[in-house]
Each structure stands twice: as C-alpha cells, then as structure tokens.
Amino acid sequence: AQSVTQLGSHVSVSEGALVLLRCNYSSSVPPYLFWYVQYPNQGLQLLLKYTSAATLVKGINGFEAEFKKSETSFHLTKPSAHMSDAAEYFCAVSDSGGYNKLIFGAGTRLAVHP
Amino acid sequence: SAVISQKPSRDICQRGTSLTIQCQVDSQVTMMFWYRQQPGQSLTLIATANQGSEATYESGFVIDKFPISRPNLTFSTLTVSNMSPEDSSIYLCSAAGTGGPVEQYFGPGTRLTVT
C-alpha cells in the first residue's frame, strides 16, 4: 500500500527565507509524486509532478522538488519565500499516474511573516 | 489543463436532507474522482466515477450514502444523502486524462455545512 508522510503540519518562515516542506513516501512500485497547493477557500492547484523523468522537478511560482529514491523523499523547496506563498501544501503519491487515485499527505500549512 | 467547475460552491443544509453536487469539466476526460476534505484535514478519496458503469467506492464509503452519476465524459454528480453534521466538509471533484495520463486537476470545491 502506498502512503505519504509530511513532516511538520505548520511551517513558518520569514519573507525572503528558504522554504522547505518535507514529504516522504512509501510505495512498492515506482511512484508518481505530486505537490499541490491550496489557498484559503479554494481548490487544489498542481505545483509540480515527478513521473520518473528528471529527479529535479521545477514547478510554478518558483517551487521545485527533488526525488530521492534512496531516501524515499520528495521535498518541496523555494529559495525565497513571498507573502503570497502562504497556503496549505499537500504531497500526494500515485502508482500509475493520474488515472489512478491519489493518496494525500496530511498537509503542511505554510505561514510567511514580514 | 482542464478547467473544472462545481455547483453549488457552498450550501447549508438541514440534517436528514440530501444535496447533489455537480462537477463540469471543459473537455472530455477519462477519469473523474470525488474527494472529501473534512475541516482542517487532508483529502480522502470517496470514489472514482466511471463513465458508463457504476462508481468504484473506497473503503468506508457506500453507494447508498454517496450515490454518484457519470452520464458522459465531461460531467459527474455526487449526492450526499440523509445528511448529518458529520458530513460537513468540502467536497472536491477532480479529473484526469487531459494533459497526459498523470495530470489530475481539481475543482474549487463545495463547502457543505449540515445543521
């Protein structure tokens, strides 16, 4: 069975600081991995995805994530936080791509303060 | 990418009643899914809406409580039946199959409050 663990339900950073949101997965088959962002009172927006191509994946809004098979991790980073990055971030895993269901982590709420 | 709309965006309902949520995609998609997001929680898959056949439900969800329709490749409905306050959640639909097999896009969600 697949699962996702997001370390840290709340992360707070200063504007301009590095953002690091942690995600570890468990999967018996090569996974597809996703990061989604949810702004208040909105649906989910796809930030980026890993689908067994390049291990360093670049997404929208300056975010990127690196797939590390040895560590079963897919951490999300952004070099410099902006106030508009404040939102809930969800890591998700799928075993055969988007046709199959997504298993979501518990989410990490990112706060950005001046 | 697919654009997904949901109606209603929010509703307040009395216990014991039912609410049908509509999900419309702007292009034909292979798969549609329904998720529940309880207050302050992550997303849990309710079921996969299959076009032309019955929906596939996840453990803990049953058709009598959450009947789903998928009459064509762009539309699906989820009904929350005989509601109780515990059904107060955000219900989101998603679609896959437009940008390649791994893209899954979400609607804005329906915020349901049961009193």
Side-chain angles (χ1 to χ4, degrees):
Chain A
Q2 296 175 305
S3 65
V4 174
T5 302
Q6 291 184 241
L7 298 176
S9 58
H10 291 80
V11 171
S12 181
V13 300
S14 299
E15 190 174 20
L18 171 71
V19 175
L20 172 60
L21 304 182
R22 300 178 186 274
C23 173
N24 288 88
Y25 70 90
S26 173
S27 178
S28 59
V29 297
Y32 291 164
L33 294 158
F34 308 83
W35 275 100
Y36 285 87
V37 61
Q38 185 177 36
Y39 297 102
N41 300 313
Q42 295 188 25
L44 273 70
Q45 180 181 10
L46 180 66
L47 273 177
L48 48 80
K49 63 184 181 185
Y50 167 76
T51 58
S52 74
T55 57
L56 182 62
V57 180
K58 294 188 183 299
I60 62 172
N61 302 339
F63 284 94
E64 63 182 36
E66 185 172 9
F67 173 72
K68 292 186 176 180
K69 183 178 179 179
S70 61
E71 299 177 7
T72 61
S73 69
F74 190 58
H75 302 331
L76 181 71
T77 61
K78 182 174 180 177
S80 177
H82 192 272
M83 297 294 288
S84 61
D85 293 328
E88 186 90 20
Y89 291 80
F90 293 97
C91 183
V93 64
S94 172
D95 63 1
S96 300
Y99 287 128
N100 279 1
K101 62 185 180 182
L102 292 175
I103 306 298
F104 283 88
T108 297
R109 184 169 296 278
L110 175 66
V112 182
H113 52 86
Chain B
S1 65
V3 177
I4 302 172
S5 59
Q6 288 184 231
K7 288 195 293 188
S9 59
R10 59 177 63 229
D11 207 342
I12 301 173
C13 302
Q14 292 189 343
R15 69 174 66 208
T17 63
S18 298
L19 176 72
T20 295
I21 302 168
Q22 299 179 5
C23 179
Q24 179 75 52
V25 188
D26 68 343
S27 57
Q28 293 187 343
V29 292
T30 305
M31 305 292 285
M32 295 182 73
F33 305 87
W34 286 98
Y35 292 83
R36 181 176 72 183
Q37 186 177 24
Q38 294 177 299
Q41 303 295 315
S42 185
L43 283 78
T44 301
L45 181 65
I46 297 171
T48 302
N50 304 307
Q51 197 270 329
S53 64
E54 283 194 358
T56 303
Y57 289 84
E58 297 299 305
S59 176
F61 297 96
V62 295
I63 187 172
D64 290 346
K65 176 67 175 177
F66 296 102
I68 287 171
S69 77
R70 176 94 191 269
N72 56 51
L73 292 176
T74 64
F75 186 79
S76 178
T77 67
L78 169 75
T79 299
V80 186
S81 303
N82 188 26
M83 289 184 285
S84 66
E86 291 71 34
D87 294 319
S88 297
S89 295
I90 299 172
Y91 292 86
L92 299 103
C93 72
S94 72
T98 57
V102 297
E103 298 288 349
Q104 194 169 138
Y105 297 95
F106 284 80
T110 296
R111 185 178 296 271
L112 171 63
T113 302
V114 184
T115 61

